[in-house]
Amino acid sequence: IWEQHEVDQIRPDEWIPYARVLAILKDVRDQKTGMQSMFDLVDVGIKIANAVIEMGYETLPDFKTLFEDIEAQHRTNNRGANIGYTSTEFSDRKVVFEDHTVWPHDLMYGLYYGYTQHYRSAYPNLTFERVDVQIDPDTGDEYGIYELTW
């Protein structure tokens, strides 16, 4: 997959174009059938979450800030009316949101799952799940619906 996208090495100090990263992730998603590709992307998402947490999102209250930062970054790189996240519920103990990003949903599930695993020791009632994946009737794109409670 890397060679198909003209990436011979991953160098942390070098930029890979956004569209190329997205194409690589979609190829990872599509390369295998069944559950294996899902677990590959979930695992990548968990590893990304672990790296992001080290950048200063240490507590669950930071999750709201993290959520807003991911949204801002996504909107910087994408244009359109129905992109990013839509919060359908944001209360003291629950967040329900729709993920309309261009990223594969298994990757995003791994990302959010990785965040919640980090916070689980401080919040034993913490749960995170992908409630559903729906199709947007206007665009035909998939979007994930997630719920975090604590």
Side-chain angles (χ1 to χ4, degrees), residues 2-43:
W2 296 109
E3 291 170 2
Q4 292 172 334
H5 295 282
E6 299 174 3
V7 176
D8 61 347
Q9 276 188 329
I10 302 289
R11 296 178 187 94
D13 58 337
E14 290 186 12
W15 176 257
I16 297 175
Y18 190 77
R20 187 174 299 168
V21 172
L22 185 58
I24 290 168
L25 291 171
K26 287 186 176 181
D27 282 353
V28 169
R29 177 196 65 199
D30 296 341
Q31 77 171 339
K32 299 175 185 167
T33 59
M35 301 295 280
Q36 185 59 46
S37 65
M38 177 189 80
F39 289 122
D40 289 347
L41 287 173
V42 170
D43 189 50

Side-chain angles (χ1 to χ4, degrees), residues 59-129:
T59 65
L60 190 58
D62 292 332
F63 181 80
K64 184 171 191 268
T65 303
L66 176 62
F67 185 76
E68 291 165 350
D69 288 351
I70 292 170
E71 169 74 357
Q73 181 62 41
H74 183 74
R75 288 191 181 276
T76 298
N77 293 306
N78 294 276
R79 299 287 181 251
N82 194 20
I83 61 166
Y85 302 97
T86 304
S87 295
T88 56
E89 184 177 344
F90 212 112
S91 64
D92 290 342
R93 294 274 182 206
K94 184 177 185 179
V95 177
V96 178
F97 62 96
E98 296 175 358
D99 174 3
H100 293 272
T101 67
V102 296
W103 302 102
H105 292 291
D106 292 331
L107 174 80
M108 298 310 290
Y109 175 81
L111 185 72
Y112 302 128
Y113 179 82
Y115 294 145
T116 57
Q117 290 306 301
H118 175 75
Y119 303 131
R120 190 169 303 269
S121 62
Y123 299 89
N125 295 326
L126 183 66
T127 61
F128 174 76
E129 69 176 303

